[in-house]
């Protein structure tokens, strides 16, 4: 659907968003599970198509937070921490865990078990499994700074407007919140994790979903092979005493 380059000739942006809403609702009823894209993400995708910001789904998937962008985003979030603590915490949890936006939005204090978030209702709960989000110490520090209430951990559904301001100020206006999840996977590959391990962290039930990152695994392996060969050649060029 998103690959149809004639999409804008078929109906208006509002009509497109309505169509997406009906399609997601129908799929949810028919399958008994929440489909891959949230309503906000679907509507954002439609807006992007009508704005001409991408030509197909793959262009969106390949967006990552680069090192310089990450540093700028961190600087901005640090400066906003006192004024917008919930929004800053929400974004850091996305960045540090690779969790879906909906998972962080719905996460409750009662679901916090040590250094894990254990969710019973989640995108793939149709499989009957609980979704475990592993929390590194940095994420635990973020959570511990938030006030404990009877509601959700962050207390907000989405820092969408806040994120739009942050990403624009950081010089990456096209970086979506969902791209933070892809960025987490990219860094995990650089850290040497396997696709199976990354799939577990991201909550993928299908290995096919995680295979979208396979090319990054190949790039990391090639870089490692090059680095190893450089060391070996450097050793072989040493002249014996």
């Amino acid at each position: 659907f998103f690959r149809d380059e004639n999409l804008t000739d078929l109906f208006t942006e509002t009509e497109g968003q309505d169509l997406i809403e009906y399609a997601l609702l129908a799929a949810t009823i028919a399958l008994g599970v929440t489909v891959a894209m949230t309503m906000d993400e679907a509507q954002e995708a439609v807006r992007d198509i009508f704005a001409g910001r991408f030509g197909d789904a793959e262009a969106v998937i390949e967006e990552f937070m680069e090192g310089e962008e990450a540093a700028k985003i961190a600087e901005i979030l640090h400066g906003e921490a006192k004024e917008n603590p919930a929004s800053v915490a929400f974004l850091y949890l996305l960045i540090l865990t690779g969790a879906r936006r909906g998972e962080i939005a719905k996460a409750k204090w009662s679901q916090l078990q040590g250094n894990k978030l254990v969710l019973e209702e989640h995108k793939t709960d149709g499989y009957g499994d609980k979704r475990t989000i592993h929390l590194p110490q940095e994420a635990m520090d973020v959570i511990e700074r938030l006030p404990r209430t009877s509601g959700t951990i962050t207390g907000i559904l989405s820092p969408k407007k806040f994120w739009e301001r942050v990403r624009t100020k950081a010089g990456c206006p096209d970086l979506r919140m969902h791209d933070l999840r892809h960025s987490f996977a990219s860094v995990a590959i650089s850290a040497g994790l396997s696709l199976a391990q990354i799939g577990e962290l991201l909550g993928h039930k299908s290995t096919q979903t995680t295979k979208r990152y396979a090319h990054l695994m190949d790039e990391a392996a090639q870089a490692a092979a090059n680095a190893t060969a450089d060391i070996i050649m450097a050793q072989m060029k040493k002249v014996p005493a």
Side-chain angles (χ1 to χ4, degrees), residues 58 60-66 179-195 198 202 204 209-225:
E58 294 300 320
V60 180
I61 290 174
E62 297 303 325
E63 286 290 332
F64 300 101
M65 179 174 63
E66 303 294 342
D179 293 327
L180 301 177
R181 179 170 164 84
H182 301 316
S183 300
F184 178 88
S186 175
V187 174
I189 288 174
S190 299
L193 274 68
S194 68
L195 286 179
I198 294 169
L202 296 179
H204 289 164
T209 306
T210 313
K211 282 184 178 178
R212 71 175 65 177
Y213 303 112
H215 69 287
L216 296 179
M217 183 73 75
D218 290 340
E219 292 172 7
Q222 185 62 53

Side-chain angles (χ1 to χ4, degrees), residues 100-173:
R100 301 176 180 90
R101 178 168 52 177
E103 292 171 341
I104 297 302
K106 297 176 182 178
K108 300 177 181 179
W109 289 103
S110 59
Q111 297 170 325
L112 182 61
Q113 300 180 15
N115 60 351
K116 301 175 184 177
L117 275 172
V118 181
L119 313 179
E120 293 187 359
E121 295 182 7
H122 54 90
K123 185 194 135 189
T124 56
D125 58 6
Y127 290 87
D129 298 327
K130 295 180 179 179
R131 160 77 162 117
T132 299
I133 299 174
H134 296 273
L135 302 169
Q137 185 56 51
E138 292 83 355
M140 290 297 298
D141 292 342
V142 169
I143 290 175
E144 288 170 1
R145 287 193 290 268
L146 294 171
R148 285 184 174 264
T149 64
S150 58
T152 60
I153 291 177
T154 63
I156 60 175
L157 290 176
S158 173
K160 188 173 185 298
K161 294 296 184 182
F162 176 76
W163 171 243
E164 290 175 355
R165 179 158 55 86
V166 169
R167 69 184 184 181
T168 299
K169 191 174 180 180
C172 45

Side-chain angles (χ1 to χ4, degrees), residues 70-89:
K72 291 180 180 178
I73 289 171
E75 181 181 359
I76 296 169
L77 293 181
H78 178 74
E80 295 278 356
K82 289 185 178 180
E83 188 174 347
N84 297 289
S87 293
V88 169

